[in-house]
């Protein structure tokens, strides 16, 4: 009889040990799953910011080529938002800044703050622009954190 009660106690201890072991493994799996979801979200936001920067760069180049700079109407800034509310982690703020490099006849009417250089000697030399695009976003799960900024600079011959 003493032998049977020892077996029941051993079975109970084994069952408790297996339950504790399985609970520990489950906590480890849940922790790793949470980290993988956060990393995937961060990677998605970073890739989206890179694509938006590329898109706004192309848009700025297209807008400069369609704009008449001789009428004191140089395009210098393009701002926008994508998404419902960037301050709450649900979107992106985009700022595109355009600077000009060219002969004074091409960029003479532009504001001096946006002309990088107007001392190009050759009058037939093409106009060049520098497009700086800043895409800002907040982390989706931590909106109290500072803005994350993706910056893309492009030198383009017009």
């Amino acid at each position: 009889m003493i032998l049977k009660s020892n077996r029941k106690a051993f079975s109970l201890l084994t069952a408790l040990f297996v339950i504790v072991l399985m609970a520990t493994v489950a906590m480890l799996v849940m922790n790793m799953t949470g980290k993988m979801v956060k990393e995937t979200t961060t990677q998605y936001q970073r890739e989206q910011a890179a694509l938006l920067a590329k898109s706004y760069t192309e848009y700025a180049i297209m807008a400069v080529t369609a704009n008449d700079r001789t009428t004191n109407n140089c395009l210098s800034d393009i701002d926008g938002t994508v998404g419902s509310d960037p301050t709450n982690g649900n979107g992106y703020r985009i700022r595109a800044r355009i600077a000009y490099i060219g002969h004074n006849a091409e960029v003479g009417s532009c504001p001096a703050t946006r002309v990088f250089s107007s001392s190009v000697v050759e009058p037939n030399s093409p106009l060049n622009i520098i497009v700086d695009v800043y895409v800002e976003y907040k982390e989706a799960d931590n909106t109290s954190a500072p803005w994350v900024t993706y910056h893309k600079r492009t030198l383009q011959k017009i």
Side-chain angles (χ1 to χ4, degrees):
M1 231 181 207
I2 294 173
L3 194 57
K4 280 189 171 180
S5 71
N6 284 343
R7 284 184 187 173
K8 289 181 181 179
F10 181 74
S11 296
L12 179 64
L13 287 176
T14 304
L16 286 174
F17 177 74
V18 168
I19 289 172
V20 169
L21 183 65
M22 289 177 65
T24 305
V25 170
M27 286 190 314
L28 179 65
V29 167
M30 294 298 278
N31 186 20
M32 291 186 65
T33 302
K35 288 180 181 178
M36 286 174 39
V37 167
K38 181 173 174 28
E39 183 61 34
T40 302
T41 304
T42 303
Q43 184 179 3
Y44 170 78
Q45 285 182 310
R46 192 174 335 137
E47 291 294 324
Q48 189 72 19
L51 291 172
L52 285 169
K54 183 178 180 181
S55 176
Y56 267 75
T57 300
E58 292 173 1
Y59 177 65
I61 293 167
M62 183 181 67
V64 166
T65 58
N67 192 30
D68 183 16
R69 290 171 302 283
T70 60
T71 61
N72 199 13
N73 190 17
C74 287
L75 188 60
S76 60
D77 300 325
I78 299 173
D79 296 333
T81 58
V82 174
S84 60
D85 188 10
T87 58
N88 288 332
N90 296 329
Y92 302 85
R93 291 190 312 196
I94 300 113
R95 296 178 294 128
R97 304 295 178 248
I98 304 165
Y100 296 89
I101 303 171
H103 191 267
N104 199 24
E106 281 280 337
V107 296
S109 63
C110 297
T113 57
R114 285 284 157 212
V115 175
F116 189 70
S117 176
S118 63
S119 61
V120 175
V121 179
E122 180 62 39
N124 294 331
S125 132
L127 176 68
N128 294 298
I129 61 171
I130 297 175
V131 181
D132 286 309
V133 178
Y134 303 93
V135 180
E136 298 174 322
Y137 60 93
K138 292 247 185 190
E139 292 180 1
D141 61 344
N142 188 8
T143 57
S144 63
W147 288 91
V148 178
T149 303
Y150 179 85
H151 175 236
K152 178 181 174 69
R153 174 171 276 184
T154 304
L155 174 65
Q156 179 68 38
K157 185 186 299 186
I158 302 296

